Amino acid sequence: MLKRGEEMQRDLWTSLLLVWITCVQYSSMAPLNNQSQSLQTASAMIPRNRPSEGQRILSRAKRGWVWNQMFVLEEFSGPDPILVGRLHTDLDMGNKNIKYVLAGEGAGTIFAINERTGDIHAMKRLDREEKAEYTLTAQVIDRDTDKPLEPPSEFIIKVQDINDNPPQFIEGPYKGSVPEMSQVGTSVTRVTATDADDPVYGNSARLVYSILEGQPYFSIDQTTAIIRVALAGMDREMREEYLVVIQAKDMGGHMGGLSGTTTVTVTLTDINDNPPKFSKGSYEFTIPEDLGIGKPGGRVKANDRDIGENAKSAYSIIGGDERDVFEIVTDAQTQEGILRLKKPLDFESKKSYNLTVVATNIRADSITGGPYMDQATVKIIIEDADEPPVFTKSAYLFDVHENAAINTVIGAVAARDQDATHSQVRYFIDRHTDLERQFNINVDDGKITLAKPLDRETDMWHNITVTATEVRNHSQISRAIVAIKVLDINDNAPEFATEYEAFLCENGKPGQVIQTISAVDKDNPSQGHTFHYRLEMLNNPNFTIKNNLNNSISVLAKHDSFRRQKQETYLLPIVVTDDGEPPMSSTNTLTIRVCGCSRDGTVQSCNVEAFVLPIGLSMGALIAILAKVEHKNEPLIIKDDEDVRENIIRYDDEGGGEEDTEAFDIATLQNPDGINGYLPRKDIKPDLQFMPRQGQHSGPNGVDVDEFINVRLHEADNDPTAPPYDSIQIYGYEGRGSIAGSLSSLETASSDSDQNYDYLREWGPRFRRLGELYSVGESDKET
């Protein structure tokens, strides 16, 4: 192979030879014809006299510029400028007034023209790869006047290519890959070279590819430059990478052509063509008996010569683990098989295991037809460990009757040491689960006894924890749950479900239901409760009972002659008996109050005094209200003939007199709005609407307080929509500094005598709430 310098030197001599031949042609030829590198023009030669008959007429047509291409070799670097061509016109008859002018690309710099002869020379070394052609304009002018003698003509000078550029691999070096074990002819990659020479002229740019290094493993197509596998059975595990040197040569690969090279690194990619292989055929591990669940007991490793996903293996146990005690998982980082514990070990029942472990490739390869696998034997030896005693049950369930005697044996627990030493066991109760110390346990035999009396109605279940400890090693402790159920006995009598209080209307009919009664029993018989009711007085003249067949009864009235004046309260003893063994019974008293009711049966009043006083107040309450108004020295009633201008004034008090504008306006007591109509109460929302009552008519200046209060009390007592809601009303205010007490119905603290309001509870449900409010006030005052 010729060096590039030698090739260029040879091409230069070839170019010089061509130039020499051209110069010889120029010197040996007369005016150049159309095919030579010249441009010519000629003037018409026309005879002045008409030729005679038979004389040959010679004529020449006028010619202008004859256009032609000129060529010049690139890279010519002789001592003198190279002659490119000559311009000539027929006007040039050797006279000196003709001047040749050259204009256009490179005129005067690259190309120079002899203005007298028309010779064109290349003044510089040309490179076709830099510029392939130049467009110029030639013209003939008069030397004296600089006027054109002929029109300008355009022509082209082409730079003729020589093979001066070797092929180049612009994208090199290259990398390619192909799976190992690929068949011959498998494509690896493709390379591409370029040549800057003229692809049209000659073979300077015609490339041929070949392999200089990399055989016999690879081959290349000399035209397409595709690299292919040339050797079958290439194994990545034997050699993974190959360096291939590719050559591209121009001139169609013939001698004298220029060449360029590049490298291609070919990598064999892995396929799953190797099975996993255990490093040894058998393994042996010793693990303690008390190894925790999920803890590793040993590791095995199957190596695979493949890489990546092809080298990953899954491990499994296919034999020797009938009890399903072990499992094996794959360590994702190390690809080891980790033996782990799934169930607790028991040295006393099995002291060793012989497992068969298999490693299998996860990925199957379509070329080799995997997957592959390998197996090994793993022997596991169990090492005895000191374990706590083991109870025969994890939880015990006992029952005992609630009337069991102290020291009664409820049940027994049992535990034993399963180690080879068979240590003796002691039993204890965890007192955190038996704070009341209700039970005891025998430390030697585990019998649980009763320490305190039981009551099922207080605690139905007792859950305690019993511990078992080895005598020789107190740190080995085991626990068991003991649930003790207290069984019921019939030791509670039934009783009323609640404290009943019944109300009987005076105008009620015989047989009316006064009260429905049900009972409860703290005991819990397995068949449920069945209660029996009877009146303590079998032939009660006033009341009777009816069984409702649902463990309840209804109390009925026998007649309709109940009157509050005769007897306002009846106490009815009722005996309730259960079906237990032995039967238990209790006597419960139902209080029945006789009340006045409306026509629709609504209870209104249940007190004798309320029946006697229509104004709705007891005698004591009325006296208390009137006592509030009474002054120590002055009468309560203000006479009509005393003009007090609607003011209450103490005349023995040096107050403001009639001009006292701060005194309270007593017109509030008159309620003049009530004169013309009914004024609804603002402290309640009445359920029913009634026609307005006619109020007491009184003049604007005449006020009788005694009569006014009586009228208002009578109206409030007979209005069913106005229950005795309590509201603070100030009936009189006698100016600042008055020693007179307030008339408020609640301010009883200033009373000279204590008032007991318990009687309000006896008037029925409508007055019971009022009595409770007053009783609360009295109790607060005492405290």
Side-chain angles (χ1 to χ4, degrees), residues 715-737:
E715 291 177 353
D717 184 71
N718 290 276
D719 185 1
T721 65
Y725 286 92
D726 190 25
S727 60
I728 299 177
Q729 299 290 342
I730 298 176
Y731 290 100
Y733 180 73
E734 300 185 4
R736 296 182 178 178

PDB file of all heavy atoms in Angstrom, residues 715-737:
ATOM      1  N   GLU A 715    -108.361  34.556  87.532  1.00  0.00           N
ATOM      2  CA  GLU A 715    -108.228  34.335  86.093  1.00  0.00           C
ATOM      3  C   GLU A 715    -107.114  33.326  85.790  1.00  0.00           C
ATOM      4  O   GLU A 715    -107.267  32.445  84.935  1.00  0.00           O
ATOM      5  CB  GLU A 715    -107.931  35.654  85.385  1.00  0.00           C
ATOM      6  CG  GLU A 715    -109.101  36.615  85.399  1.00  0.00           C
ATOM      7  CD  GLU A 715    -108.738  37.937  84.749  1.00  0.00           C
ATOM      8  OE1 GLU A 715    -107.539  38.111  84.432  1.00  0.00           O
ATOM      9  OE2 GLU A 715    -109.621  38.775  84.558  1.00  0.00           O
ATOM     10  N   ALA A 716    -105.994  33.469  86.497  1.00  0.00           N
ATOM     11  CA  ALA A 716    -104.882  32.539  86.243  1.00  0.00           C
ATOM     12  C   ALA A 716    -105.233  31.130  86.649  1.00  0.00           C
ATOM     13  O   ALA A 716    -104.828  30.154  86.005  1.00  0.00           O
ATOM     14  CB  ALA A 716    -103.635  33.001  87.002  1.00  0.00           C
ATOM     15  N   ASP A 717    -106.038  30.945  87.714  1.00  0.00           N
ATOM     16  CA  ASP A 717    -106.365  29.604  88.184  1.00  0.00           C
ATOM     17  C   ASP A 717    -107.345  28.912  87.252  1.00  0.00           C
ATOM     18  O   ASP A 717    -107.300  27.694  87.089  1.00  0.00           O
ATOM     19  CB  ASP A 717    -106.936  29.689  89.598  1.00  0.00           C
ATOM     20  CG  ASP A 717    -107.202  28.315  90.166  1.00  0.00           C
ATOM     21  OD1 ASP A 717    -106.206  27.610  90.479  1.00  0.00           O
ATOM     22  OD2 ASP A 717    -108.366  27.923  90.278  1.00  0.00           O
ATOM     23  N   ASN A 718    -108.197  29.650  86.590  1.00  0.00           N
ATOM     24  CA  ASN A 718    -109.211  29.055  85.732  1.00  0.00           C
ATOM     25  C   ASN A 718    -108.819  29.052  84.257  1.00  0.00           C
ATOM     26  O   ASN A 718    -109.621  28.668  83.416  1.00  0.00           O
ATOM     27  CB  ASN A 718    -110.537  29.813  85.901  1.00  0.00           C
ATOM     28  CG  ASN A 718    -111.157  29.551  87.257  1.00  0.00           C
ATOM     29  OD1 ASN A 718    -111.845  28.564  87.472  1.00  0.00           O
ATOM     30  ND2 ASN A 718    -110.889  30.452  88.210  1.00  0.00           N
ATOM     31  N   ASP A 719    -107.625  29.485  83.937  1.00  0.00           N
ATOM     32  CA  ASP A 719    -107.171  29.478  82.540  1.00  0.00           C
ATOM     33  C   ASP A 719    -106.332  28.220  82.308  1.00  0.00           C
ATOM     34  O   ASP A 719    -105.201  28.122  82.799  1.00  0.00           O
ATOM     35  CB  ASP A 719    -106.347  30.729  82.254  1.00  0.00           C
ATOM     36  CG  ASP A 719    -105.952  30.824  80.784  1.00  0.00           C
ATOM     37  OD1 ASP A 719    -106.339  29.913  80.002  1.00  0.00           O
ATOM     38  OD2 ASP A 719    -105.241  31.780  80.419  1.00  0.00           O
ATOM     39  N   PRO A 720    -106.816  27.201  81.580  1.00  0.00           N
ATOM     40  CA  PRO A 720    -106.028  25.955  81.388  1.00  0.00           C
ATOM     41  C   PRO A 720    -104.778  26.159  80.557  1.00  0.00           C
ATOM     42  O   PRO A 720    -103.887  25.333  80.552  1.00  0.00           O
ATOM     43  CB  PRO A 720    -107.019  25.009  80.692  1.00  0.00           C
ATOM     44  CG  PRO A 720    -107.981  25.925  80.001  1.00  0.00           C
ATOM     45  CD  PRO A 720    -108.130  27.137  80.890  1.00  0.00           C
ATOM     46  N   THR A 721    -104.714  27.251  79.815  1.00  0.00           N
ATOM     47  CA  THR A 721    -103.510  27.488  78.988  1.00  0.00           C
ATOM     48  C   THR A 721    -102.436  28.231  79.757  1.00  0.00           C
ATOM     49  O   THR A 721    -101.391  28.563  79.198  1.00  0.00           O
ATOM     50  CB  THR A 721    -103.884  28.300  77.743  1.00  0.00           C
ATOM     51  OG1 THR A 721    -104.324  29.595  78.142  1.00  0.00           O
ATOM     52  CG2 THR A 721    -104.984  27.611  76.950  1.00  0.00           C
ATOM     53  N   ALA A 722    -102.679  28.527  81.014  1.00  0.00           N
ATOM     54  CA  ALA A 722    -101.699  29.296  81.790  1.00  0.00           C
ATOM     55  C   ALA A 722    -101.290  28.510  83.017  1.00  0.00           C
ATOM     56  O   ALA A 722    -101.792  28.732  84.101  1.00  0.00           O
ATOM     57  CB  ALA A 722    -102.302  30.646  82.192  1.00  0.00           C
ATOM     58  N   PRO A 723    -100.418  27.527  82.845  1.00  0.00           N
ATOM     59  CA  PRO A 723     -99.925  26.784  84.026  1.00  0.00           C
ATOM     60  C   PRO A 723     -99.127  27.732  84.911  1.00  0.00           C
ATOM     61  O   PRO A 723     -98.703  28.814  84.471  1.00  0.00           O
ATOM     62  CB  PRO A 723     -99.043  25.706  83.409  1.00  0.00           C
ATOM     63  CG  PRO A 723     -98.636  26.259  82.093  1.00  0.00           C
ATOM     64  CD  PRO A 723     -99.780  27.083  81.617  1.00  0.00           C
ATOM     65  N   PRO A 724     -98.890  27.329  86.111  1.00  0.00           N
ATOM     66  CA  PRO A 724     -98.231  28.252  87.070  1.00  0.00           C
ATOM     67  C   PRO A 724     -96.758  28.421  86.769  1.00  0.00           C
ATOM     68  O   PRO A 724     -95.909  28.084  87.599  1.00  0.00           O
ATOM     69  CB  PRO A 724     -98.468  27.568  88.411  1.00  0.00           C
ATOM     70  CG  PRO A 724     -98.544  26.133  88.078  1.00  0.00           C
ATOM     71  CD  PRO A 724     -99.249  26.061  86.757  1.00  0.00           C
ATOM     72  N   TYR A 725     -96.431  28.968  85.581  1.00  0.00           N
ATOM     73  CA  TYR A 725     -95.033  29.305  85.321  1.00  0.00           C
ATOM     74  C   TYR A 725     -94.642  30.470  86.209  1.00  0.00           C
ATOM     75  O   TYR A 725     -95.398  31.415  86.377  1.00  0.00           O
ATOM     76  CB  TYR A 725     -94.823  29.685  83.850  1.00  0.00           C
ATOM     77  CG  TYR A 725     -94.864  28.503  82.936  1.00  0.00           C
ATOM     78  CD1 TYR A 725     -96.061  28.116  82.339  1.00  0.00           C
ATOM     79  CD2 TYR A 725     -93.730  27.767  82.675  1.00  0.00           C
ATOM     80  CE1 TYR A 725     -96.117  27.030  81.490  1.00  0.00           C
ATOM     81  CE2 TYR A 725     -93.758  26.678  81.838  1.00  0.00           C
ATOM     82  CZ  TYR A 725     -94.968  26.309  81.252  1.00  0.00           C
ATOM     83  OH  TYR A 725     -94.994  25.228  80.420  1.00  0.00           O
ATOM     84  N   ASP A 726     -93.487  30.390  86.709  1.00  0.00           N
ATOM     85  CA  ASP A 726     -93.033  31.410  87.631  1.00  0.00           C
ATOM     86  C   ASP A 726     -92.391  32.548  86.853  1.00  0.00           C
ATOM     87  O   ASP A 726     -91.593  32.313  85.943  1.00  0.00           O
ATOM     88  CB  ASP A 726     -92.020  30.816  88.616  1.00  0.00           C
ATOM     89  CG  ASP A 726     -91.731  31.788  89.730  1.00  0.00           C
ATOM     90  OD1 ASP A 726     -92.582  32.629  90.000  1.00  0.00           O
ATOM     91  OD2 ASP A 726     -90.617  31.686  90.297  1.00  0.00           O
ATOM     92  N   SER A 727     -92.704  33.746  87.192  1.00  0.00           N
ATOM     93  CA  SER A 727     -92.080  34.911  86.582  1.00  0.00           C
ATOM     94  C   SER A 727     -91.952  35.995  87.639  1.00  0.00           C
ATOM     95  O   SER A 727     -92.789  36.102  88.532  1.00  0.00           O
ATOM     96  CB  SER A 727     -92.894  35.411  85.387  1.00  0.00           C
ATOM     97  OG  SER A 727     -94.178  35.772  85.803  1.00  0.00           O
ATOM     98  N   ILE A 728     -90.911  36.740  87.548  1.00  0.00           N
ATOM     99  CA  ILE A 728     -90.671  37.801  88.527  1.00  0.00           C
ATOM    100  C   ILE A 728     -91.487  39.024  88.126  1.00  0.00           C
ATOM    101  O   ILE A 728     -91.314  39.549  87.025  1.00  0.00           O
ATOM    102  CB  ILE A 728     -89.166  38.138  88.589  1.00  0.00           C
ATOM    103  CG1 ILE A 728     -88.391  36.896  89.034  1.00  0.00           C
ATOM    104  CG2 ILE A 728     -88.916  39.292  89.530  1.00  0.00           C
ATOM    105  CD1 ILE A 728     -86.896  37.124  89.046  1.00  0.00           C
ATOM    106  N   GLN A 729     -92.394  39.463  89.000  1.00  0.00           N
ATOM    107  CA  GLN A 729     -93.190  40.666  88.766  1.00  0.00           C
ATOM    108  C   GLN A 729     -93.039  41.572  89.982  1.00  0.00           C
ATOM    109  O   GLN A 729     -93.223  41.134  91.126  1.00  0.00           O
ATOM    110  CB  GLN A 729     -94.672  40.315  88.561  1.00  0.00           C
ATOM    111  CG  GLN A 729     -94.934  39.416  87.366  1.00  0.00           C
ATOM    112  CD  GLN A 729     -94.711  40.142  86.065  1.00  0.00           C
ATOM    113  OE1 GLN A 729     -94.683  41.370  86.034  1.00  0.00           O
ATOM    114  NE2 GLN A 729     -94.540  39.381  84.987  1.00  0.00           N
ATOM    115  N   ILE A 730     -92.662  42.786  89.742  1.00  0.00           N
ATOM    116  CA  ILE A 730     -92.530  43.762  90.839  1.00  0.00           C
ATOM    117  C   ILE A 730     -93.845  44.538  90.913  1.00  0.00           C
ATOM    118  O   ILE A 730     -94.217  45.237  89.963  1.00  0.00           O
ATOM    119  CB  ILE A 730     -91.345  44.707  90.588  1.00  0.00           C
ATOM    120  CG1 ILE A 730     -90.045  43.894  90.535  1.00  0.00           C
ATOM    121  CG2 ILE A 730     -91.262  45.782  91.660  1.00  0.00           C
ATOM    122  CD1 ILE A 730     -88.837  44.723  90.187  1.00  0.00           C
ATOM    123  N   TYR A 731     -94.556  44.391  92.016  1.00  0.00           N
ATOM    124  CA  TYR A 731     -95.874  45.005  92.144  1.00  0.00           C
ATOM    125  C   TYR A 731     -95.823  46.407  92.737  1.00  0.00           C
ATOM    126  O   TYR A 731     -96.790  47.140  92.694  1.00  0.00           O
ATOM    127  CB  TYR A 731     -96.777  44.117  93.010  1.00  0.00           C
ATOM    128  CG  TYR A 731     -97.154  42.838  92.323  1.00  0.00           C
ATOM    129  CD1 TYR A 731     -96.499  41.649  92.603  1.00  0.00           C
ATOM    130  CD2 TYR A 731     -98.168  42.830  91.348  1.00  0.00           C
ATOM    131  CE1 TYR A 731     -96.829  40.489  91.957  1.00  0.00           C
ATOM    132  CE2 TYR A 731     -98.510  41.657  90.696  1.00  0.00           C
ATOM    133  CZ  TYR A 731     -97.851  40.502  91.002  1.00  0.00           C
ATOM    134  OH  TYR A 731     -98.170  39.331  90.368  1.00  0.00           O
ATOM    135  N   GLY A 732     -94.741  46.789  93.312  1.00  0.00           N
ATOM    136  CA  GLY A 732     -94.673  48.129  93.885  1.00  0.00           C
ATOM    137  C   GLY A 732     -93.252  48.504  94.223  1.00  0.00           C
ATOM    138  O   GLY A 732     -92.464  47.656  94.677  1.00  0.00           O
ATOM    139  N   TYR A 733     -92.929  49.742  93.956  1.00  0.00           N
ATOM    140  CA  TYR A 733     -91.603  50.239  94.305  1.00  0.00           C
ATOM    141  C   TYR A 733     -91.807  51.633  94.873  1.00  0.00           C
ATOM    142  O   TYR A 733     -92.327  52.516  94.189  1.00  0.00           O
ATOM    143  CB  TYR A 733     -90.704  50.278  93.072  1.00  0.00           C
ATOM    144  CG  TYR A 733     -89.306  50.784  93.358  1.00  0.00           C
ATOM    145  CD1 TYR A 733     -88.396  49.998  94.031  1.00  0.00           C
ATOM    146  CD2 TYR A 733     -88.925  52.078  92.949  1.00  0.00           C
ATOM    147  CE1 TYR A 733     -87.124  50.459  94.304  1.00  0.00           C
ATOM    148  CE2 TYR A 733     -87.653  52.538  93.213  1.00  0.00           C
ATOM    149  CZ  TYR A 733     -86.743  51.744  93.900  1.00  0.00           C
ATOM    150  OH  TYR A 733     -85.482  52.191  94.171  1.00  0.00           O
ATOM    151  N   GLU A 734     -91.453  51.833  96.113  1.00  0.00           N
ATOM    152  CA  GLU A 734     -91.830  53.042  96.826  1.00  0.00           C
ATOM    153  C   GLU A 734     -90.709  54.060  96.867  1.00  0.00           C
ATOM    154  O   GLU A 734     -90.484  54.727  97.867  1.00  0.00           O
ATOM    155  CB  GLU A 734     -92.278  52.697  98.244  1.00  0.00           C
ATOM    156  CG  GLU A 734     -93.476  51.760  98.236  1.00  0.00           C
ATOM    157  CD  GLU A 734     -94.010  51.513  99.633  1.00  0.00           C
ATOM    158  OE1 GLU A 734     -93.491  52.130 100.569  1.00  0.00           O
ATOM    159  OE2 GLU A 734     -94.935  50.708  99.753  1.00  0.00           O
ATOM    160  N   GLY A 735     -89.947  54.145  95.829  1.00  0.00           N
ATOM    161  CA  GLY A 735     -88.911  55.160  95.778  1.00  0.00           C
ATOM    162  C   GLY A 735     -87.630  54.700  96.435  1.00  0.00           C
ATOM    163  O   GLY A 735     -87.551  53.661  97.086  1.00  0.00           O
ATOM    164  N   ARG A 736     -86.571  55.475  96.237  1.00  0.00           N
ATOM    165  CA  ARG A 736     -85.279  55.125  96.817  1.00  0.00           C
ATOM    166  C   ARG A 736     -85.312  55.271  98.330  1.00  0.00           C
ATOM    167  O   ARG A 736     -85.915  56.180  98.877  1.00  0.00           O
ATOM    168  CB  ARG A 736     -84.185  56.012  96.232  1.00  0.00           C
ATOM    169  CG  ARG A 736     -83.972  55.813  94.746  1.00  0.00           C
ATOM    170  CD  ARG A 736     -82.851  56.696  94.256  1.00  0.00           C
ATOM    171  NE  ARG A 736     -82.603  56.490  92.844  1.00  0.00           N
ATOM    172  CZ  ARG A 736     -81.687  57.166  92.135  1.00  0.00           C
ATOM    173  NH1 ARG A 736     -80.947  58.091  92.728  1.00  0.00           N
ATOM    174  NH2 ARG A 736     -81.535  56.918  90.850  1.00  0.00           N
ATOM    175  N   GLY A 737     -84.586  54.366  98.957  1.00  0.00           N
ATOM    176  CA  GLY A 737     -84.439  54.449 100.409  1.00  0.00           C
ATOM    177  C   GLY A 737     -85.638  53.975 101.180  1.00  0.00           C
ATOM    178  O   GLY A 737     -85.698  54.108 102.404  1.00  0.00           O
TER     179      GLY A 737
END
